Amino acid sequence: MDYRKLGQEITELVGKKDNIARLTHCATRLRFELHDISKAETEKLKALPGVITVVNNGGQYQVVVGNEVQQVYRVITQQMGSATRSADSKSASGKNNGPKQKQSWISRFISVISTTFTPVIPAIIGAGMIKAILAVLVLTGLVTTESQNYYILNTIADAAFYFMPILLAYGASIKFETSPILAMTVAGVLLHPGWSALMAEGKDVFFIGVPVRLTDYAGSVLPIIIVVWLMSYIERFADRVSPSMIKFFTKPMIVLLITAPLALVAIGPFGTYLNDLVAMGAEAINARASWLIPLLMGTLQPFLIVTGTAWAMTPIATSQLTKNGYEMINGPGMLASNIAQGGATLAVALKTKNKKLKQLAASSGFTAVLGITEPSLYGVTLKLKKPLIAAMIGGGVAGIYAGLTGLVRYAFVSPGLAALPAFIGSNPMNIVHAIVTCLIAFIVTFALTWIIGFEDPVDDEEEGNTNVNDDKTLSGQPVQDNSPNTQSSTITNANVLSQNELRPLTIASPMQGELVHLDRVPDDVFSLGLLGKGAAIIPAKGELYAPIAGEVTAFMDSKHAVKLNGYDGEEVLIHIGVDTVNLKGRHFDSSIKVGDRVQQGDLLIRFDIDAIKAEGYEVITPIIIANSDRFPDIKLEKQSPVEVGATIIHLS
């Protein structure tokens, strides 16, 4: 794949580099925060080769590209001129260069957690994997817990969690558009050995007469996020009041002199209280119904990923890992969900007859059971729907087992087969329960997917496909169908094709607009080829012309869809818009009727594009070869603007 080209195309379609406020990435997604989200061309992004899907949730515009995300990320950051596009992209006053998008407080909270944690993930995953390796070494007797080797490796693994406030200060500074260095310095104050010494003494501490609560901030999450948020306002204040001649000295002094004491005296203890309150609530639920949280996580994890809310539980899980050495909030349920996603996707790979889907499902299913589910979720199960339902059921069943057996995760890793060592710890049965959880999730989901099945999309590369096609109904509404069925008819397909079996035919564009692939249509009936192969046009003008010479054999009372049988055996179905049957003829005008003979280029229907859009409907128009199975070779012209009468489809 040409990552440079893909990165350049993504940059253009999100509104060019000046529209990017900041950019981060995770294992499979580019996570944009855009100045003006209306400039992003979502449908064109989804259609790019190499892009799995686009998700706009949790305060972020996420472009899912799969396992090659880092290569694409590098290309885009090179174009932006900054790897983080952080505070430097804004003025010192903090004013944005474009309009801000209104978000709910939940979306803002999740956006803060996501942006703050994303840069930290490599450190905590790396540390978590070292913890997992160390657990295996101890279990096999290669290392003892009293050895210096264990001590050093454990110190390396603990460092990311102990200094979590410093790491999070960097991510939070990006989110709140303030100085990363000053934010990390304030975090360093919270972890300073002098502060630890005061705690060890246990004496009362006062600052300018105000009592100071002695709190251990090692591994804490919420306190530093709140501190950096406040610091962003203090820095702007310091920037305004500092004389330009000495701003280089006075600005950082004012920031540290105000922020650090506030952090120690008020904000830090308040953040710690919130952090402990949420953790206590989760532990109380777990104590009374240990199966509930893993059940919910195992079932709803795909939904949390799609909506961007999966980050909401991260602070609690991280806090538990730091304080207890294990966590039961995220890991057990995510393990069940990830394996279930892999089971559903691999079942699809074995059952589908579509070559492209088989290849995609095999690779993404294998990745999912290892712990990375986005390619599987967005590329396979979410599109096919039934496998997603099976994965949610299988994940929930396995989650119940994980909760009832008290399964915990000892290290912060993406749960999957590759990270099973993260479930090795003080309880020797924990890894056994983890393996059983995986088996339950995989077997239940695989079996359900195999039994309930899915709508298998037509394979464009396979000749002789039989498409699901019912000329009697379009969009669930009955239509007239006076198709000739006698052998003497000039439009009888069997009669014509027997004489002209390999005759080349063409389908002309019925409207002016942009020619696109059929998979751009936001309706699975069309995009998956269930009614036949074809193309689609995004109309620029509200006029539909006959793409072939032939007879009108079906015409909707709502005037939004028409079917023509050509004199050379071709059957062409044209459906203006998506779900426009609900308009019941509003904004459409036509005088044609079933049985009319038309010539290519005859005007068939007029429609009001703006009025249809104003009522909330898409106007993208599929042009379907309804009897695709009769034509062994169907080729489409390249995507491009087209005029009425231009060739868009070749048949033989």
Side-chain angles (χ1 to χ4, degrees):
M1 179 181 292
D2 188 343
Y3 300 113
R4 180 162 295 280
K5 180 181 178 183
L6 178 59
Q8 292 170 346
E9 290 175 334
I10 291 174
T11 302
E12 287 295 314
L13 293 178
V14 297
K16 301 185 178 181
K17 64 179 183 180
D18 291 338
N19 194 39
I20 303 174
R22 63 181 64 84
L23 170 64
T24 56
H25 75 87
C26 58
T28 59
R29 311 182 194 193
L30 298 165
R31 297 175 176 270
F32 293 93
E33 292 194 28
L34 304 176
H35 293 304
D36 184 357
I37 205 166
S38 66
K39 293 181 179 180
E41 301 181 62
T42 301
E43 293 304 317
K44 289 185 178 180
L45 274 167
K46 289 181 178 179
L48 283 180
V51 173
I52 297 174
T53 191
V54 176
V55 180
N56 180 22
N57 275 308
Q60 291 185 335
Y61 191 81
Q62 304 168 14
V63 180
V64 184
V65 297
N67 296 331
E68 313 301 332
V69 65
Q70 288 192 356
Q71 291 90 326
V72 183
Y73 172 79
R74 292 192 192 102
V75 172
I76 298 177
T77 52
Q78 287 172 4
Q79 295 178 77
M80 292 168 59
S82 168
T84 58
R85 193 72 169 176
S86 57
D88 293 338
S89 66
K90 305 288 184 77
S91 65
S93 64
K95 293 181 179 180
N96 206 331
N97 297 324
K100 286 272 189 181
Q101 303 299 312
K102 291 184 178 180
Q103 299 176 354
S104 67
W105 69 269
I106 295 177
S107 293
R108 289 197 296 268
F109 170 75
I110 293 171
S111 176
V112 168
I113 297 299
S114 175
T115 306
T116 301
F117 267 90
T118 298
V120 178
I121 285 178
I124 56 180
I125 285 183
M129 288 306 298
I130 293 175
K131 281 274 191 183
I133 292 171
L134 197 56
V136 173
L137 292 176
V138 172
L139 186 66
T140 56
L142 296 176
V143 172
T144 64
T145 55
E146 292 79 19
S147 68
Q148 292 183 350
N149 291 332
Y150 177 89
Y151 184 84
I152 292 173
L153 287 175
N154 196 51
T155 299
I156 294 171
D158 282 343
F161 294 96
Y162 182 86
F163 293 105
M164 182 68 68
I166 295 178
L167 302 182
L168 293 176
Y170 173 77
S173 69
I174 293 174
K175 176 62 183 177
F176 298 123
E177 301 156 13
T178 190
S179 168
I181 295 300
L182 290 178
M184 294 166 73
T185 301
V186 173
V189 172
L190 300 179
L191 299 173
H192 194 278
W195 183 254
S196 301
L198 286 175
M199 292 182 59
E201 290 180 8
K203 297 179 180 179
D204 293 338
V205 177
F206 296 85
F207 178 74
I208 57 174
V210 178
V212 179
R213 178 185 174 186
L214 296 174
T215 303
D216 183 6
Y217 295 104
S220 61
V221 174
L222 293 182
I224 191 61
I225 295 177
I226 300 172
V227 166
V228 175
W229 169 70
L230 179 65
M231 194 191 96
S232 67
Y233 291 96
I234 295 173
E235 185 180 22
R236 293 168 197 170
F237 166 77
D239 186 78
R240 288 196 303 270
V241 301
S242 296
S244 57
M245 291 287 292
I246 56 173
K247 183 179 294 186
F248 180 77
F249 305 102
T250 57
K251 179 180 174 180
M253 178 192 70
I254 293 173
V255 170
L256 292 177
L257 201 55
I258 297 176
T259 308
L262 280 175
L264 292 171
V265 173
I267 304 171
F270 174 71
T272 302
Y273 174 74
L274 287 180
N275 202 97
D276 292 344
L277 190 65
V278 174
M280 284 166 46
E283 290 176 0
I285 294 173
N286 192 67
R288 289 168 174 77
S290 61
W291 50 269
L292 181 59
I293 293 177
L295 164 65
L296 294 176
M297 292 297 294
T299 304
L300 301 178
Q301 182 69 14
F303 173 76
L304 298 179
I305 292 174
V306 170
T307 58
T309 54
W311 289 96
M313 304 295 282
T314 303
I316 306 174
T318 306
S319 178
Q320 284 189 336
L321 275 169
T322 303
K323 291 186 176 181
N324 305 328
Y326 59 85
E327 66 88 19
M328 74 289 290
I329 297 296
N330 271 3
M334 286 178 64
L335 178 66
S337 178
N338 290 355
I339 298 298
Q341 276 291 320
T345 309
L346 290 175
V348 170
L350 288 177
K351 193 166 187 176
T352 182
K353 295 179 180 179
N354 185 297
K355 294 178 182 177
K356 291 182 179 178
L357 178 59
K358 185 179 289 291
Q359 182 179 2
L360 172 62
S363 60
S364 60
F366 177 74
T367 304
V369 296
L370 292 180
I372 304 297
T373 60
E374 278 89 344
S376 167
L377 176 61
Y378 290 117
V380 180
T381 60
L382 190 60
K383 289 183 178 180
L384 298 180
K385 297 180 178 63
K386 288 183 179 179
L388 177 60
I389 295 172
M392 293 176 72
I393 294 172
V397 172
I400 292 175
Y401 174 84
L404 291 175
T405 57
L407 181 65
V408 298
R409 178 175 59 164
Y410 292 102
F412 195 101
V413 293
S414 182
L417 296 184
L420 278 179
F423 292 86
I424 300 174
S426 56
N427 178 7
M429 286 299 295
N430 197 71
I431 183 62
V432 176
H433 295 318
I435 294 172
V436 174
T437 298
C438 292
L439 290 173
I440 293 173
F442 189 90
I443 293 171
V444 171
T445 306
F446 190 97
L448 278 175
T449 304
W450 196 270
I451 293 169
I452 66 178
F454 51 89
E455 296 291 339
D456 201 6
V458 176
D459 194 336
D460 292 339
E461 296 179 358
E462 182 178 348
E463 295 182 359
N465 280 341
T466 301
N467 295 296
V468 178
N469 182 25
D470 184 358
D471 296 341
K472 302 294 181 181
T473 59
L474 296 175
S475 300
Q477 180 175 342
V479 299
Q480 295 173 285
D481 190 347
N482 294 345
S483 301
N485 55 17
T486 64
Q487 193 173 15
S488 61
S489 172
T490 58
I491 310 179
T492 301
N493 292 339
N495 184 35
V496 175
L497 287 179
S498 64
Q499 301 173 23
N500 304 290
E501 194 168 347
L502 295 178
R503 177 177 176 180
L505 303 173
T506 59
I507 307 298
S509 174
M511 55 178 58
Q512 177 186 343
E514 182 185 359
L515 178 67
V516 298
H517 290 155
L518 199 59
D519 59 12
R520 289 278 298 277
V521 181
D523 185 333
D524 288 348
V525 173
F526 296 109
S527 63
L528 296 179
L530 300 182
L531 291 177
K533 302 176 186 177
I537 294 177
I538 302 173
K541 191 175 182 180
E543 295 178 346
L544 177 73
Y545 296 85
I548 59 172
E551 180 178 336
V552 178
T553 58
F555 183 52
M556 302 287 290
D557 292 338
S558 54
K559 301 180 181 181
H560 77 288
V562 61
K563 182 169 174 282
L564 306 175
N565 279 22
Y567 296 121
D568 289 312
E570 67 275 39
E571 298 179 9
V572 181
L573 167 66
I574 308 169
H575 192 288
I576 302 173
V578 177
D579 293 331
T580 44
V581 64
N582 299 327
L583 293 172
K584 299 180 180 180
R586 293 194 307 277
H587 318 310
F588 293 90
D589 181 49
S590 177
S591 60
I592 64 172
K593 61 184 181 297
V594 172
D596 285 352
R597 300 293 180 95
V598 298
Q599 297 298 316
Q600 180 182 320
D602 287 352
L603 179 62
L604 302 180
I605 304 171
R606 296 181 187 274
F607 55 100
D608 190 330
I609 293 177
D610 292 335
I612 294 171
K613 288 182 176 180
E615 294 212 35
Y617 294 93
E618 298 273 0
V619 294
I620 186 171
T621 300
I623 299 100
I624 305 295
I625 309 304
N627 57 340
S628 297
D629 57 310
R630 311 297 288 271
F631 298 94
D633 190 15
I634 298 179
K635 295 181 179 178
L636 310 181
E637 289 290 327
K638 294 181 179 179
Q639 297 185 69
S640 63
V642 292
E643 298 294 331
V644 174
T647 298
I648 59 173
I649 301 175
H650 298 268
L651 309 174
S652 65

